[in-house]
Structure formats: structure tokens, C-alpha cells
Amino acid sequence: MAKEKTLNDLFHDTLKDIYYAERKILKTLPKMARAAQSAELKASIEKHKDQTEGQIERLQQVFEILGKRAQGKTCDAIEGIIAEGEEILEEYKGTAALDAGIISSAQAVEHYEITRYGTLKRWAETLGMQDAADLIDQNLQEESQTDEDLSTLADTVNKSAAG
Ligand SMILES: [Fe+2]
Ligand SMILES: [Fe+2]
């Protein structure tokens, strides 16, 4: 019979998923910043790269609270989202629509992070780990703010993409 699993196991597994995703994102953001044509978009992606380093450190603190080693677990969802983003970089290279495409991929990444952090925060609270919930909430707030900033940037970028 399968070993009994609890919310604790689900929390730990999902933490590994987002830890893997954040480290993958950290490697991908410089590529997106280099490709971006708008100086504002470039700066915004670079700023989020620095934030991502801090987010990874917070996740390491959450692993510590759990008494577990910080360890990632392959996240197929982020692999797929990033692969689609890379496809846009290739297919729209040198075109007026490139930045609009970069923003769309970046927002897909943010939304994935937001759904994971929203869930993890709620689970941490249920499990009575308020310190972990607070750390996760800080990441969640940064992702939400980044998503909003990208929406604002999109207003300008999309107009020039429309040609
Ligand atoms: Fe992140
Ligand atoms: Fe993010």
C-alpha cells in the first residue's frame, strides 16, 4: 500500500518545484534582457533578475524552517513556458513585435510564480509555519508587482508593435 502522504509532503514537493523554477528563471532573465529592444524593458528585466536572487535566498530559508536541504525538482511547467519564450526570441528577432512577445513570455512566468506562491503561502499558514508564509508572501508581492509593471510597459510597447 502507498505510504500515507500529508500536506507537509505536498508543501515540500511544491517548494522544490518553485526552487527549481526560480533558478531556471535566474538563468533565463539575462537572455531576455539582452534581447529586449526597449531600454525600459531591459532595465525592468534586469531589476527582476536581482530580485530573483533574493527570492532564491528566501526559499533557502523556507527549506531551513522545514529542516530540509534546499533542493530543486524538475518543473516541466516552467521548462515549457521558457521554451515558448525562447521560440518567440528566435521567431521575432529584429521585428517590431519582439518586445511585445518578450513581455508576454515574462508575464507567463510571473503568473506561474504567482500561482505557486499563492498556494504555498496558504499551505504554510495551514501548517502553522507563519515565518515561512511571510517569506513566501514577500516573493509573492514581488512577482505581483513585476506583473503589474510589465502590464504598464506593455501599454507603450504594444502600440509600437502594432506598427
Ligand atoms: Fe521569482
Ligand atoms: Fe518573477
Side-chain angles (χ1 to χ4, degrees):
M1 215 171 71
K3 188 174 158 266
E4 187 66 36
K5 287 194 182 192
T6 67
L7 190 63
N8 235 311
D9 300 299
L10 203 48
F11 180 84
H12 185 210
D13 274 336
T14 307
L15 185 64
K16 287 191 212 168
D17 171 288
I18 192 69
Y19 188 62
Y20 177 94
E22 287 288 11
R23 291 200 300 174
K24 180 86 191 187
I25 292 162
L26 184 64
K27 277 189 233 154
T28 307
L29 286 172
K31 242 184 271 177
M32 290 169 82
R34 268 198 305 277
Q37 293 163 326
S38 138
E40 264 186 287
L41 178 57
K42 237 183 231 299
S44 155
I45 296 171
E46 274 159 9
K47 177 183 161 202
H48 197 49
K49 184 195 167 264
D50 294 341
Q51 279 181 333
T52 301
E53 285 172 3
Q55 293 175 350
I56 290 171
E57 282 169 21
R58 286 191 200 110
L59 292 179
Q60 289 164 347
Q61 292 177 50
V62 177
F63 277 109
E64 256 182 59
I65 292 171
L66 276 182
K68 305 276 191 195
R69 183 168 70 88
Q71 188 189 6
K73 178 185 180 192
T74 306
C75 166
D76 293 326
I78 204 70
E79 294 283 356
I81 290 169
I82 286 172
E84 285 189 355
E86 280 169 352
E87 210 175 287
I88 288 177
L89 290 190
E90 258 174 52
E91 290 176 6
Y92 286 83
K93 199 175 176 179
T95 73
L98 178 64
D99 281 0
I102 291 174
I103 291 177
S104 74
S105 328
Q107 285 192 291
V109 170
E110 293 318 305
H111 284 224
Y112 181 71
E113 294 177 298
I114 288 167
T115 185
R116 282 299 181 233
Y117 285 134
T119 297
L120 281 168
K121 181 188 164 188
R122 231 170 297 121
W123 285 347
E125 282 165 351
T126 305
L127 293 165
M129 296 188 290
Q130 193 54 50
D131 290 353
D134 290 344
L135 287 161
I136 292 163
D137 185 61
Q138 289 177 52
N139 284 10
L140 178 59
Q141 296 310 319
E142 285 179 354
E143 310 300 10
S144 303
Q145 187 58 54
T146 301
D147 181 49
E148 274 178 45
D149 293 348
L150 286 167
S151 288
T152 307
L153 265 177
D155 288 340
T156 340
V157 163
N158 292 350
K159 265 176 221 146
S160 29

